[in-house]
Amino acid sequence: MIEEGSKSSKATVEKRQLFMEMRAQNFDVIRLSTYRTACKLRFVQKRCNLHLVDVWNMIEAFRDNGLSTLDHNAEINVSRLETILSSIFYQLNKRLPTTHQINVEQSIGLLLNFMVATYDSEGHGKLTVFSMKSMLSTMCGGKIVDKLRYIFSQISDSSGTMVFAKFDQFLREVLKLPTAVFEGPSFGYTEHSVRTCFPQQKKILLNTFLDVMMADPPPQCLVWLPLMHRLANVENVFHPVECSYCRSESMMGFRYRCQQCHGYQLCQNCFWRGHASGPHSNQHQMKEHSSWKSPAKKLSHAISKSLGCVPIGEPPHPVFPEAAERPQDLAHPTQLKPVSNNMNDTILMSSGAPTSTKSSTLESPSRLDEEHRLIARYAARLAAEASNSTQCPPTDLSFNFDANKQQRQLIAELENKNREILQEIQRLRLEHEQASQPTPEKAQQNPTLLAELRLLRHRKDELEKRMSALQESRRELMVQLEGLMRLLKDEEQKAAQTGGSPHSSPSHSASCTMPMPIRSTSAGSTPTHTPQDCLAGVGDDVLDAFSQGVPRNLRNDLLVAADSITNTMSSLVKELHSVDDGLEDEEVNMRNGRDKVSAPRHYGNRHSTPSF
């Protein structure tokens, strides 16, 4: 009697221990019920060490303990539940290193009392199989998409379509978790919970189910579930930013930025508790950040997004095949025990896929389909490898040797063919380069003719440059003449008004100095206009002076200088035409294949530009 009383008192203490520790964390000061519920369930998950058990290890434990063959409504007593939890945590300790071992007995006691308090509030001492699967698969570690795929496999039929009655049963069981941590008024089960998740009663397949459960925002009754996973992902995230309320120089976890107040940021503790300072208010919209990006990374991400390098809308989950596979009945299930201790290795070695794709168990909606088939295939492979290693007949060895020899021969043939192709490519490339280059016969046909032709072309370019310079000098001279004409006209008008001669005030004309533009020495392209075009832009007085035979009160030396420039321009034009004729003759001689070329013409002396 004394022993039974001590056991019952110990069970009562263990039952209250988890809830007392949770109250000591003071989660009730969090003003938002979603964050409050997620923080409480995350505390229970870590305190019971469920975050160390992956969802795949949980599925393996269900199968090892025979739960895959039981009906969802079947009941198990507390002693069997304790056995199942013991196998889960003892297998966990085998996977963990020796420096990270957990207290198995304490974890079993805390989790067992929490599950009994959650799903056996009336004290019957029994839980249904579906209740235990729903709770453990939701509270264990792993990715949320893997959990939802396993849950869908439990609530769908053989055709891969969700059964609404089973989904309603799942909501009844999973929403007992918020009620167990005293958040039932916010996230308790109601009759309208199914309608809030799927308003339209239609055919729900796997991808549709994942779209609804992982949407932003998710269904209101399950909004705490993805938040609990986000909490687990940001617990060790560091933000080198100062909190605008508590003035802490860094943040851990979530970071919240106000969308109205510039530069106003809060840590998760201040935001959860509703702290605000300055012009900021709790009514302002806040954006949640789960990572820190430097300004340089933000700029590069914005540029990549604007250029289309980063996809704007990424899917929340990969798309999975909708077709469900038929369940496979195993004739000898006892052969699966030696290989059923590691579900991860089973799926990896049977499917040859990476860890992220090891969820082929969940693609089938039945509870007995692919997980048994994969284990059977792996067991058969192990048995075949064991028999081959013990027997090793010589015929197999010779067959393997022949196969390896054939493979080596095939590789050698492919390498030779690749070498021939590379040589052919090199040959074609050389032929192309030779065809694109000019032939040396044309360049060496007659070097004397080529040298004289180059000399004539050089002479032509020099004359064209000289022609352009003289035209520019002539235009500058015309501009100066125009200025002098204005001065002479002004003197004549003043002389007419005063009655004197136009040369009576030379001091005035000497004081009005004319600007002398600098003559350009750079040569342009071949002129396309005649020398008479250089008079364009000069005044009417200069044009009239050159059009009349007798100058009108102009100085004769200016007219003589202008005539000299005109004669010089004419002689240059003639020389340029003679050079063009010589070039044409030389080209004709080269085309006719003549060996010699007539001597180049001798040109007269160049005319210099007259100066005043």
Side-chain angles (χ1 to χ4, degrees):
M1 296 292 295
I2 296 175
E3 293 180 357
E4 293 179 358
S6 61
K7 288 182 180 180
S8 61
S9 61
K10 182 179 179 181
T12 304
V13 172
E14 291 177 351
K15 184 176 181 180
R16 297 178 179 179
Q17 180 182 355
L18 184 63
F19 294 99
M20 292 175 63
E21 293 179 359
M22 185 176 64
R23 286 194 179 95
Q25 298 295 323
N26 199 18
F27 291 120
D28 291 330
V29 299
I30 301 176
R31 63 188 183 95
L32 300 176
S33 60
T34 304
Y35 288 94
R36 190 168 59 245
T37 305
C39 288
K40 289 181 178 180
L41 292 177
R42 175 63 178 168
F43 172 79
V44 173
Q45 182 189 42
K46 295 179 66 177
R47 189 65 182 85
C48 297
N49 291 316
L50 277 175
H51 66 294
L52 301 175
V53 184
D54 192 78
V55 62
W56 306 107
N57 302 122
M58 196 64 71
I59 296 172
E60 177 188 1
F62 294 160
R63 185 178 53 257
D64 291 344
N65 291 273
L67 299 180
S68 299
T69 58
L70 297 178
D71 187 75
H72 282 172
N73 297 323
E75 294 182 345
I76 57 175
N77 53 24
V78 177
S79 60
R80 186 174 180 183
L81 176 61
E82 184 176 3
T83 303
I84 296 172
L85 298 181
S86 300
S87 65
I88 293 173
F89 287 110
Y90 277 113
Q91 290 295 329
L92 173 62
N93 253 357
K94 291 180 180 180
R95 293 189 298 269
L96 293 176
T98 55
T99 56
H100 294 78
Q101 297 289 309
I102 64 172
N103 190 342
V104 175
E105 297 297 333
Q106 184 181 13
S107 301
I108 294 172
L110 292 175
L111 183 57
L112 179 64
N113 291 319
F114 179 76
M115 294 182 67
V116 171
T118 303
Y119 294 101
D120 188 27
S121 58
E122 297 180 359
H124 296 298
K126 294 182 179 181
L127 279 75
T128 63
V129 173
F130 191 68
S131 299
M132 187 186 63
K133 284 186 175 182
S134 301
M135 185 271 173
L136 293 178
S137 61
T138 302
M139 294 294 293
C140 68
K143 297 181 180 180
I144 185 173
V145 63
D146 297 333
K147 295 181 180 181
L148 293 175
R149 291 179 67 191
Y150 175 73
I151 291 170
F152 185 82
S153 68
Q154 303 297 306
I155 62 175
S156 57
D157 55 14
S158 58
S159 64
T161 305
M162 188 187 75
V163 180
F164 281 90
K166 292 184 178 181
F167 178 70
D168 181 73
Q169 184 182 2
F170 165 73
L171 288 181
R172 289 176 184 269
E173 302 299 336
V174 77
L175 291 180
K176 289 180 182 179
L177 293 173
T179 305
V181 293
F182 314 107
E183 297 296 334
S186 300
F187 299 104
Y189 173 80
T190 60
E191 296 180 355
H192 305 286
S193 298
V194 179
R195 294 182 180 178
T196 58
C197 298
F198 300 99
Q200 300 178 357
Q201 299 289 334
K202 59 181 182 180
K203 184 178 180 180
I204 306 298
L205 301 178
L206 174 60
N207 291 313
T208 307
F209 179 78
L210 295 177
D211 290 339
V212 173
M213 293 294 119
M214 301 182 66
D216 188 17
Q220 183 60 32
C221 60
L222 296 174
V223 68
W224 51 269
L225 181 58
L227 180 58
M228 185 177 69
H229 288 79
R230 295 207 308 272
L231 281 173
N233 294 330
V234 302
E235 284 182 348
N236 298 321
V237 175
F238 176 77
H239 305 271
V241 182
E242 182 183 5
C243 180
S244 301
Y245 182 83
C246 65
R247 298 301 176 184
S248 61
E249 297 182 356
S250 60
M251 304 180 189
M252 294 294 291
F254 287 118
R255 173 171 57 93
Y256 297 89
R257 176 187 290 272
C258 182
Q259 300 298 298
Q260 299 182 19
C261 304
H262 178 70
Y264 194 88
Q265 301 186 84
L266 293 176
C267 62
Q268 64 179 16
N269 292 329
C270 295
F271 175 74
W272 290 352
R273 286 158 176 79
H275 296 322
S277 60
H280 178 70
S281 173
N282 291 329
Q283 304 300 324
H284 292 179
Q285 184 179 2
M286 304 290 287
K287 185 176 181 180
E288 183 182 273
H289 296 274
S290 58
S291 61
W292 164 256
K293 290 183 179 179
S294 62
K297 288 185 178 180
K298 291 181 180 178
L299 179 61
S300 63
H301 181 75
I303 294 175
S304 301
K305 189 174 182 180
S306 62
L307 295 177
C309 301
V310 178
I312 299 176
E314 295 183 356
H317 64 85
V319 179
F320 301 99
E322 302 287 358
E325 296 183 0
R326 295 179 58 185
Q328 183 170 353
D329 189 12
L330 301 179
H332 303 285
T334 56
Q335 298 177 358
L336 306 179
K337 290 183 180 180
V339 297
S340 61
N341 291 329
N342 199 334
M343 179 64 179
N344 296 335
D345 295 340
T346 301
I347 298 177
L348 281 175
M349 298 185 67
S350 60
S351 61
T355 308
S356 60
T357 60
K358 62 184 179 181
S359 54
S360 58
T361 306
L362 303 183
E363 294 179 1
S364 175
S366 179
R367 292 179 287 114
L368 300 174
D369 54 356
E370 191 171 351
E371 54 189 41
H372 295 295
R373 181 174 59 83
L374 293 176
I375 296 174
R377 186 190 303 172
Y378 183 49
R381 182 176 298 178
L382 288 178
E385 291 178 357
S387 62
N388 291 333
S389 61
T390 55
Q391 297 177 4
C392 294
T395 56
D396 294 340
L397 292 177
S398 61
F399 176 75
N400 293 332
F401 179 77
D402 294 338
N404 294 332
K405 186 177 180 180
Q406 292 177 359
Q407 291 177 358
R408 287 195 298 270
Q409 291 177 355
L410 180 61
I411 293 172
E413 292 177 0
L414 292 176
E415 289 179 351
N416 294 330
K417 185 175 295 185
N418 186 27
R419 196 177 299 109
E420 293 176 358
I421 292 174
L422 292 176
Q423 292 177 357
E424 183 68 18
I425 291 174
Q426 187 68 19
R427 186 183 62 80
L428 293 175
R429 186 176 298 169
L430 292 175
E431 290 181 357
H432 177 70
E433 292 178 356
Q434 293 175 359
S436 60
Q437 293 178 357
T439 58
E441 297 177 358
K442 296 180 181 179
Q444 298 178 0
Q445 185 176 7
N446 198 336
T448 305
L449 292 177
L450 293 177
E452 292 180 356
L453 182 60
R454 282 195 295 268
L455 182 61
L456 289 174
R457 288 178 179 174
H458 180 68
R459 179 63 178 169
K460 179 183 177 183
D461 293 338
E462 288 182 353
L463 290 176
E464 288 177 352
K465 293 178 182 179
R466 184 64 178 169
M467 183 75 177
S468 300
L470 289 176
Q471 287 178 354
E472 185 66 25
S473 300
R474 186 169 182 267
R475 181 173 180 80
E476 293 173 0
L477 182 60
M478 293 299 104
V479 174
Q480 294 179 16
L481 288 174
E482 184 180 4
L484 292 175
M485 291 290 292
R486 290 198 191 96
L487 290 176
L488 293 174
K489 184 181 290 187
D490 293 341
E491 292 295 332
E492 290 178 356
Q493 291 178 359
K494 289 180 181 179
Q497 293 176 1
T498 57
S501 63
H503 303 285
S504 60
S505 57
S507 61
H508 177 72
S509 61
S511 62
C512 298
T513 59
M514 286 297 297
M516 297 294 292
I518 301 174
R519 190 186 319 175
S520 176
T521 58
S522 61
S525 60
T526 304
T528 58
H529 54 273
T530 60
Q532 288 76 10
D533 295 337
C534 296
L535 295 176
V538 299
D540 295 334
D541 293 333
V542 178
L543 295 177
D544 294 339
F546 282 98
S547 61
Q548 296 178 2
V550 181
R552 300 179 306 148
N553 297 327
L554 298 176
R555 296 180 183 273
N556 293 329
D557 54 353
L558 295 177
L559 295 176
V560 171
D563 292 337
S564 177
I565 292 174
T566 303
N567 294 331
T568 303
M569 295 296 295
S570 300
S571 63
L572 282 174
V573 170
K574 292 179 180 179
E575 289 184 6
L576 186 60
H577 285 306
S578 64
V579 172
D580 290 336
D581 295 337
L583 287 174
E584 291 177 358
D585 295 339
E586 294 298 333
E587 291 178 355
V588 170
N589 292 335
M590 289 185 67
R591 285 196 299 266
N592 294 333
R594 294 177 182 175
D595 297 332
K596 295 183 181 180
V597 183
S598 59
R601 296 182 179 88
H602 297 282
Y603 301 97
N605 296 329
R606 299 190 183 99
H607 294 278
S608 59
T609 305
S611 59
F612 296 97

